[in-house]
Amino acid sequence: MAEPLLEVKNLKVQFPTEDGVVKAVDGTSFSVAPGETLGVVGESFLTVMGLVTKREARISGEILFRGQDLLKLPPEDFREIRGAKISMIFQDPLTALNPVHRVGNQIAEVFQVHRKVSKKEAFDEAINLLQLVGIPEPAKRARRYPHEFSGGMRQRAMIAMALALSPDLIIADEPTTALDVTVQAQILDLIDQMKKEFDAAVILITHDLGVVAEHCDDIMVMYAGRMVEYGEARDIYYGAHHPYTWGLLQSIARMDQARTERLRPIKGQPPSLIHVPPGCPFNPRCPYVMDICRTEVPQLIPADGHHASACHLPLSEKERIVKEEVLVH
Amino acid sequence: MSTHVAERTEAAPRTDRAPLLKLTGIKKHFPLTRGIIFQKKIGAVHAVDGVDLEVYPGETLGLVGETGCGKSTLARVIMRLHESTEGTIQFEGRDITHLEGKELRALRRNMQMIFQDPYASLNPRKTVGAIIGEPFRLHGTVPKNRIRDEVKQIMQLVGLNPEHYNRYPHAFSGGQRQRIGFARALALRPKLIVCDEPVSALDVSIQAQILNLLEDIQEEFNLTYVFIAHDLSVVKHVSDRVAVMYLGKIVELAPGETLYKNPKHPYTGALMSAVPIADPDLATVKKRIILEGDVPSPINPPLGCRFHPRCPRAQLPICAEQEPQLLPQHPGQVAACHFPLEDRAVITEDIETPLHKAEDAPPDGQTAAKAPDPSQWEPGNAE
């Protein structure tokens, strides 16, 4: 594996609220190499990765970007990196774009802030970018306001903005959840294509296991703020080792499966992040729960390669279950 | 795999029976006006523009299409929440297009709806018991002193704890709220339930719970569903037949399995190929039909075939001049296209091989389960 671009070590993010402390991320470590797409899946509360700068959050651990700990940087330096080297694509482009500024100006602003160029030059750059992300008549469209764009075009504009300074890392937080499938396919292809063009790494946060299967190299499965499984796409889809991952795979309706197959949902509700169950956070919903699961938090244990899972079941048992119960459709 | 298709086509289109619901030439145009005091009509949004559809008792009819294609409007027209501009709606052979007052209310006993947003469709100031009991009070089908028992029974049925009778909607999660909405729709034992995006606001694992519930209840009460969603995988899973809508018209109608394997309309093909498949091997070899541009405005829909400006197969002038009719293709399938796609345009037979193995091979023969060496998994030539 190449030198990691981003390395996160034992990251914890907590938000104090009136009801208690929300443990949004609870001790997670992972790394992303240049040119890699990492998929992050799970239910709810994934947006956290973008919020690492929020003042009210309590953050501990390390976020190493090219070996430099972002959390220790003074705010000005961090701001310099965020935007220029790390950029983000948000779920809802209508709320992420400013409704009272022309789309072109919003993109141009990025250049004005980070590159100290003239307004005219910045605007021309913005038009180039709009062209790059496949918006027809970019010069005309740059003068329009966000409400005059369709959902797909807004998301393209967001991508243009994220790419403005050729970042090394793009964090896409549910970039296509609000879009129709045909547009979703266009946008995801665009992200893939831009990734290649700029040789950037992508972290794709989504709940859609189909999107992850088609666009990600590595997959990280999160549950209740913890990483429960990590592996290459193939490890996850054909040989997952965590009951939560099994549950996710079994509960989705799939195009390629006959209808006679009944869905097998995960029982119960996703946990509250304030009162995370003791032991393995998944234990109240897990069909394979054992006594140890209720008391001891399982550690992330590698199986082979960098496929790892946090579950007390013995490896042989996991492999048996995958074969006999999960993959049998 | 082929056996499944055979089973489905036998079981799916129950065309031998009289339709429960029949739409003929349904149009719904929303007028666009200009001026404040003297409003004059300057055009219309052609939300639904000529739909013929039959829904048979006991079946689930799926309705898919992109945002703005008119599927929700059609649902509301069926429910008589919108007055149709043209066309007739028949329910059990009776024309219900212009029913009013008492008769319309009596009809609603037989037709109910589940809405998309479980947060907006329940009155926050009423207890769950009152919400589910409301239909009984309105229609007087159950004597007042028995309403409470009846409501508790329904709550049990849809998987809610009857002890939560006196709670308010805010105390429930999204999935549970959708159960409340379902219980309310079920209260009068309707024959038809129109589900408008019933699971799209829910987490994946909760979606599966609700979909299974819908299926169980359908069997128990012999319900008929019109099921609307933009998620094709979900629609295919629940539906016997699926209708694909584009700009206010149905462009293709077929059993889900046929639609997935042999879509005939290029738009259906594009939709099918755009749906992400949760299987990395299958995904890499799937053929893609990529659409350019966005859906045109329904104010001035294109002449001829509405899809021709975006269609990769369009041939001028015929596609721009003649509107294609819905013509039979495979058994149970109709599509409106001058140049329908050939069979297996998206998913080829050999792509299914890895899947086939996962389905039919004995468990210990599954290389898929371990996938120790990716090189063994060259797509397409698995064995």
Side-chain angles (χ1 to χ4, degrees), chain A residues 43 182 186 234 238 255 263, chain B residues 66 236 279 281 291 368-369:
Chain A
E43 288 174 288
T182 51
Q186 290 172 6
R234 197 167 257 101
Y238 305 126
M255 286 303 280
L263 300 176
Chain B
E66 290 175 282
K236 176 174 172 272
D279 186 323
D281 287 331
L291 289 185

Side-chain angles (χ1 to χ4, degrees), chain A residues 279-307:
Chain A
C280 171
F282 190 58
N283 83 65
R285 304 174 76 190
C286 181
Y288 307 101
V289 63
M290 304 177 291
D291 285 341
I292 186 174
C293 303
R294 297 197 181 89
T295 49
E296 254 175 73
V297 178
Q299 296 305 308
L300 204 67
I301 297 165
D304 56 326
H306 53 281
H307 183 194

Side-chain angles (χ1 to χ4, degrees), chain B residues 70-138:
Chain B
K71 49 191 196 304
S72 287
T73 308
L74 184 63
R76 277 153 202 263
V77 169
I78 293 174
M79 288 302 301
R80 291 290 320 278
L81 295 171
H82 283 321
E83 201 66 23
S84 60
T85 313
E86 244 179 65
T88 56
I89 313 167
Q90 284 176 313
F91 187 80
E92 294 186 307
R94 190 161 75 111
D95 189 340
I96 59 159
T97 326
H98 303 291
L99 285 191
E100 273 177 6
K102 240 185 206 164
E103 283 184 299
L104 181 60
R105 197 179 313 154
L107 175 76
R108 293 255 157 86
R109 261 183 229 176
N110 289 324
M111 295 163 81
Q112 287 289 323
M113 188 157 176
I114 307 174
F115 298 90
Q116 169 170 11
D117 186 349
Y119 294 88
S121 58
L122 302 177
N123 187 339
R125 292 164 188 245
K126 284 189 171 176
T127 61
V128 171
I131 291 172
I132 301 173
E134 190 74 15
F136 295 131
R137 276 181 277 273
L138 286 174

Side-chain angles (χ1 to χ4, degrees), chain A residues 34-108:
Chain A
E36 181 189 300
T37 304
L38 172 70
V40 183
V41 292
E43 288 174 288
S44 306
F45 294 108
L46 293 169
T47 41
V48 160
M49 308 207 58
L51 300 177
V52 282
T53 53
K54 274 241 170 136
R55 250 173 291 148
E56 57 269 33
R58 275 191 239 140
I59 305 168
S60 68
E62 285 175 74
I63 304 177
L64 300 173
F65 182 74
R66 296 193 180 285
Q68 198 177 16
D69 191 349
L70 296 182
L71 295 177
K72 293 209 179 77
L73 284 182
E76 311 85 75
D77 294 355
F78 188 18
R79 197 156 57 220
E80 195 57 42
I81 288 177
R82 194 178 64 223
K85 299 282 179 226
I86 304 176
S87 65
M88 185 141 180
I89 302 168
F90 297 92
Q91 173 171 4
D92 184 355
L94 192 58
T95 45
L97 289 168
N98 189 331
V100 297
H101 288 287
R102 294 173 202 277
V103 172
N105 288 342
Q106 295 189 46
I107 302 172

Side-chain angles (χ1 to χ4, degrees), chain A residues 83-85 87 111 115 129 162-170 198 200:
Chain A
K85 299 282 179 226
S87 65
F111 293 106
R115 286 236 185 103
L129 276 170
L163 292 172
L165 299 164
S166 20
D168 298 327
L169 175 68
I170 302 168
F198 292 91

